[in-house]
Amino acid sequence: MADERIIAALDVRTLDEVKALVGQLGDSIIFYKVGMELFYAVGPQVITYLKSKNKRIFLDLKLHDIPNTVAEGLISLMKFGVDIFNVHASGGFTMLSQAAQRIKEAAHAAGVRPPKLIAITVLTSMNEIDWRSLGMTMPIAEQVVNLAKLSQRAGLDGVVASPREAAMIRKACGRDFMIVTPGVRPRGTANNDQSRVAAPAEALRNGASQLVIGRPIYAAPNPKAAVDSILAEIAAV
């Protein structure tokens, strides 16, 4: 049975690769992430394909611009009928609040359920050395929590953050706030370009609501076996 806490990242470049992976995983995965690499290469047809398979979709395009541009961009993307969008929390309160308000207004006018809107806090690839090179003085974790609270005040449904900050966000923002965590690496798999990582069960225990998992699934010799192993690990959490 599928577990909606797992979002499989389709970090590939062709629709044929998508079809092959979705076919292999079958009913074990219901939620997929479509990011920049795939969406820019294939376009909306990947959304159409996934919806034809009754899959749920996190469209991970990380919008970050002036408030009106972000809000209008999200309204344009709403026509695809995906389940989750994201923006960068560092765009600030006005950008976040306008995005949240206007996407809800547009959904109401269209008579559809509004998609969830979540905000990127600090990318999980960022380590303390890179962080300090930007002139930042507070620790990454402190800024992640600050951005999570800002996003919640602005009316967003949740944030994207690493598993290491999930417990602090959960404490600060409550039980109903979404915490979507990339940087999830099952034990025995490589970190690749992720710096702040955790195993799946650990991430959920820390307070994550959903886990985005890419390479440990699609690059595995047997993707279906990799998913089954992850599902077995988190079943008791």
Side-chain angles (χ1 to χ4, degrees), residues 25-232:
L25 298 181
D27 293 336
S28 62
I29 291 290
I30 193 68
F31 227 125
Y32 285 93
K33 179 184 83 80
V34 174
M36 296 180 192
E37 178 181 0
L38 179 58
F39 192 77
Y40 294 162
V42 176
Q45 61 180 318
V46 66
I47 305 297
T48 302
Y49 169 74
L50 290 171
K51 288 177 71 68
S52 76
K53 298 297 182 182
N54 297 314
K55 303 301 184 182
R56 301 187 69 191
I57 302 162
F58 169 21
L59 187 56
D60 177 28
L61 298 183
K62 301 180 175 72
L63 277 68
H64 189 179
D65 211 309
I66 63 174
N68 186 66
T69 298
V70 168
E72 291 296 331
L74 289 170
I75 291 169
S76 294
L77 291 169
M78 269 186 58
K79 66 185 178 185
F80 299 131
V82 304
D83 300 277
I84 305 175
F85 291 130
N86 62 359
V87 298
H88 268 285
S90 55
F93 181 81
T94 301
M95 188 202 82
L96 295 170
S97 60
Q98 284 195 24
Q101 179 180 349
R102 290 175 61 185
I103 200 169
K104 289 172 185 173
E105 291 172 349
H108 179 74
V112 298
R113 178 182 297 178
K116 298 294 185 182
L117 182 61
I118 61 179
I120 305 290
T121 53
V122 177
L123 296 172
T124 51
S125 59
M126 187 75 68
N127 57 38
E128 292 289 351
I129 295 173
D130 289 336
W131 183 244
R132 288 194 296 272
S133 75
L134 297 174
M136 302 298 183
T137 55
M138 70 172 62
I140 290 176
E142 186 176 339
Q143 177 65 351
V144 167
V145 174
N146 287 340
L147 291 172
K149 292 191 291 187
L150 177 73
S151 300
Q152 187 176 48
R153 290 199 305 273
L156 274 70
D157 299 290
V159 291
V160 179
S162 92
R164 297 197 185 171
E165 293 97 36
M168 293 180 287
I169 296 170
R170 183 63 66 211
K171 181 177 180 180
C173 297
R175 61 183 296 179
D176 297 325
F177 196 62
M178 290 176 64
I179 304 173
V180 179
T181 57
V184 175
R185 291 292 184 265
R187 301 192 187 282
T189 60
N191 287 0
N192 303 111
D193 56 358
Q194 301 286 7
S195 292
R196 305 186 329 276
V197 303
E202 179 186 3
L204 291 172
R205 291 189 187 100
N206 285 349
S209 50
Q210 287 173 296
L211 315 178
V212 176
I213 306 177
R215 268 170 291 206
I217 293 175
Y218 70 76
N222 185 333
K224 177 65 164 57
V227 168
D228 289 344
S229 177
I230 293 167
L231 292 174

